[in-house]
Amino acid sequence: MPRLSGAQAMIEMLVQAGIGHLFGNPGTTELPLADALANDSRIKFILGLHEIPVMSAADGFAMASGQVAVVNLHASCGLGNAMGMLYNAHREGTPLVVTAGQADRRLMFEEPILWSDLARVAQPWTKWSAEVSRVEDLPVALRRAMQIALAPPTGPVFLSIPMDVQSEVAELDLAPLAALDTRTRPATEAVARAAQVLAQAKRPGILAGSRLVERHAVSQLVKLAELLGAPVMTESGTSHGRLAFPSDHPLYGQAIPLWSPEVRDRLREFDVLFVAGMDLLRQYVYFEPSRAIPEHVRLVHLDENPWQIGKNYPAEVGLVGDLQAGIAELNAQLATTQTESQRADARRRGGEYAATHRAQREQLETEIAALVIQRPIAPKVLMASLARVLPRNVAVVEEAVTTTNMMFERLGALGLESAYFGHRGWALGWGLGCAIGVQLAWPQRPVLGIIGEGSTMFGVQALWTAARYNVPVTYVVCNNAQYRILKVGSWQMQLPAAAEQRFVGMDLVEPEVDIVAIARAMGVEAERIEHPDQLAARVRESLAAHDRPRLFDVPIDRNTPERMDYGQVS
């Protein structure tokens, strides 16, 4: 066995696992690792000026690559600064190994500066959290951490590594992480029952979640939708995440609404819903009636995590297993279960839904055309202008929920659903850094970040990282100088001051933030754009050049609607 320091062993094991980037912001308790990295070029250290962009960049890298990403934070303060982004990763199920330097073990009894029980702090939002107390245990801990992060249901793990453990030298077992095939099939009998329930449904629908994308199950879901003639509705904006169905498919039924009463109205027409790869449901604000799924709807629910099945709504048939394998077996069973009459009904339903969705898109395009002359730019016009110039292979990261309003999806602009990254945890500041991580994972593809000005200010230090490593993300900041989602929520809750247009702490004016100046100070080329055609032209040029980071600050309509417009099918 080789004789190495803990820090050297950590680098060796990461290299063995195929990890080429380490995201971090170092401090005193990470100096042994930083010193070891200075003598080893196999891992590129990606420096962030704050833990928000550090964590969110690692998050984006892991989601895009499908591999574990590794983060190194600084003791108690670094972990504390990163906790919001750790919450996002926890909600997304992102496979991250998060490490933090800890005080020297010889000082711990004194409760030294920057010391705390780091493992206990991180525990609620991780799959596993531990402190490594012996250098001999460090290789075992890293192997375990990577395997736990990657095993379904995937998610972040945390390791606290004391300074002296990083420096101590010992003979260490660096056996590599074993390949783990995590695909498990649902029970054959359950698949047969699910196929029977779905085949007999008169008005089946499908609710599709982010985990379908991450398990490469979307093509199988497309086949299932076509077999059933069923519309596919994706997750609400409260947990939208990845787009789990091609938005240009005739059976794409858009996202379900935000609030329970509207969800009930949207789902009332269905007698059976097939649910796959989503949390059913993660609501945002309490409204009556609180039960979003109508009582008459029967559920067939597939997920790799048994915790999700029947958690909030009882399932008539629960299927525990790999999403890709499970839907493939369900498709095969349906092909033999459906009668010719049921197939004919499915074709008829599919044609009706396709016509409805086409008419809805045409109506939306008419609405957008009527808003083109409005200044500041209407959010729908901004999104339509960008939709016109998106290259087929673009990756989109969005953290501007009241501007985007699922518009790319509603316009059918996203054919590559795997390349869409939306907010799931809702801890702000995520989007700027996430786009950096996605671009590092996919260096040959253009990346477009669509970020609200409020979210931008939570994670604005990410722009320095983009400039430092010349990460060629194109950013569009949708700037309405307010926390618009809070005003919408206030109106939805029928709060008395909101009804009189009086809000406290929700307007970003007097002074308005000069985002262009901030971006330039961070080293990123930036300009303000006030015309939709100019925006489309500049974004097209930037995505095509794909040579350096750029930011476009776009003033948009400062009025606030009383509800979120998701353009739902009535």
Side-chain angles (χ1 to χ4, degrees), residues 88 237-241 398-399 421-430:
N88 283 343
T238 57
S239 57
H240 185 38
E398 74 96 342
E399 190 184 9
F421 302 83
H423 225 193
R424 268 184 272 183
W426 278 45
L428 297 184
W430 167 88

Side-chain angles (χ1 to χ4, degrees), residues 6 106 163 277 293 319 374 386 443 529 534 556-557 564-565:
R106 293 165 294 189
M163 286 182 72
I293 308 295
L319 304 167
Q374 180 178 314
L386 295 176
I529 294 180
Q534 183 190 11
I556 59 173
D557 180 18
M564 293 289 285
D565 171 22

Side-chain angles (χ1 to χ4, degrees), residues 18-98:
I19 293 166
H21 296 81
L22 177 60
F23 300 86
N25 180 274
T28 309
T29 52
E30 294 73 47
L31 287 180
L33 176 60
D35 190 70
L37 286 167
N39 295 314
D40 197 316
S41 62
R42 293 175 296 171
I43 291 181
K44 184 173 185 178
F45 188 83
I46 304 297
L47 173 63
L49 301 183
H50 189 278
E51 288 78 8
I52 284 179
V54 165
M55 282 287 293
S56 55
D59 190 358
F61 187 92
M63 285 193 290
S65 68
Q67 301 173 343
V68 69
V70 182
V71 179
N72 186 239
L73 304 174
H74 176 43
S76 301
C77 55
L79 177 59
N81 287 340
M83 287 299 286
M85 299 304 104
L86 181 61
Y87 176 79
N88 283 343
H90 163 68
R91 279 301 198 178
E92 295 156 355
T94 304
L96 295 180
V97 173
V98 182

Side-chain angles (χ1 to χ4, degrees), residues 210-509:
S210 296
R211 288 187 288 278
L212 287 158
V213 178
E214 291 149 355
R215 305 303 177 263
H216 309 290
V218 175
S219 62
Q220 293 294 342
L221 186 71
V222 170
K223 183 176 180 180
L224 176 64
E226 292 170 349
L227 282 170
L228 294 174
V232 178
M233 295 154 284
T234 50
E235 290 169 290
S236 165
T238 57
S239 57
H240 185 38
R242 312 295 293 277
L243 179 60
F245 199 77
S247 70
D248 57 354
H249 192 283
L251 289 174
Y252 178 58
Q254 303 179 16
I256 58 175
L258 287 176
W259 322 120
S260 172
E262 295 171 353
V263 178
R264 286 181 69 90
D265 290 343
R266 178 70 182 93
L267 301 181
R268 197 178 306 279
E269 67 176 284
F270 303 106
D271 58 349
V272 175
L273 288 172
F274 175 70
V275 185
M278 70 178 290
D279 299 350
L280 193 70
L281 288 161
R282 284 207 285 123
Q283 296 191 69
Y284 184 36
V285 177
Y286 182 87
F287 288 105
E288 294 284 359
S290 62
R291 301 293 283 173
I293 308 295
E295 287 72 17
H296 70 273
V297 175
R298 303 157 68 196
L299 298 178
V300 176
H301 196 162
L302 167 66
D303 206 282
E304 62 197 11
N305 184 1
W307 170 252
Q308 296 297 340
I309 298 174
K311 181 176 72 174
N312 296 319
Y313 298 91
E316 181 160 332
V317 183
L319 304 167
V320 179
D322 178 77
L323 293 165
Q324 184 186 78
I327 299 176
E329 294 190 8
L330 184 56
N331 288 338
Q333 187 69 45
L334 265 173
T336 60
T337 300
Q338 280 180 316
T339 66
E340 187 52 47
S341 174
Q342 289 168 342
R343 293 190 187 96
D345 286 343
R347 288 191 292 271
R348 173 188 54 78
R349 284 193 302 265
E352 292 173 353
Y353 281 119
T356 298
H357 299 160
R358 185 167 56 250
Q360 183 183 11
R361 186 168 299 162
E362 291 170 355
Q363 179 183 349
L364 177 59
E365 291 168 350
T366 300
E367 294 174 9
I368 292 169
L371 296 170
V372 166
I373 62 172
Q374 180 178 314
R375 297 293 180 274
I377 300 172
K380 288 180 180 179
V381 174
L382 181 149
M383 295 302 294
S385 300
L386 295 176
R388 293 199 310 269
V389 300
L390 291 182
R392 179 71 180 178
N393 67 335
V394 72
V396 176
V397 176
E398 74 96 342
E399 190 184 9
V401 63
T402 56
T403 298
T404 54
N405 268 340
M406 314 293 183
M407 286 292 294
F408 282 167
E409 298 93 312
R410 291 162 61 188
L411 290 168
L414 296 173
L416 292 176
E417 67 287 336
S418 63
Y420 181 87
F421 302 83
H423 225 193
R424 268 184 272 183
W426 278 45
L428 297 184
W430 167 88
L432 292 174
C434 179
I436 290 172
V438 171
Q439 185 69 88
L440 289 172
W442 292 339
Q444 304 307 315
R445 301 175 67 168
V447 175
L448 174 64
I450 306 175
I451 318 293
E453 86 292 336
S455 299
T456 294
M457 295 310 300
F458 274 80
V460 73
Q461 300 93 336
L463 295 176
W464 182 89
T465 300
R468 169 68 178 80
Y469 300 100
N470 196 35
V471 184
V473 176
T474 298
Y475 291 109
V476 173
V477 176
C478 308
N479 193 339
N480 56 22
Q482 61 184 294
Y483 294 143
R484 194 181 193 191
I485 186 65
L486 300 182
K487 294 183 179 180
V488 173
S490 298
W491 270 321
Q492 289 287 126
M493 296 168 67
Q494 300 180 1
L495 299 177
E500 299 175 4
Q501 297 276 337
R502 293 187 293 112
F503 302 98
V504 172
M506 300 182 195
D507 292 290
L508 307 182
V509 295

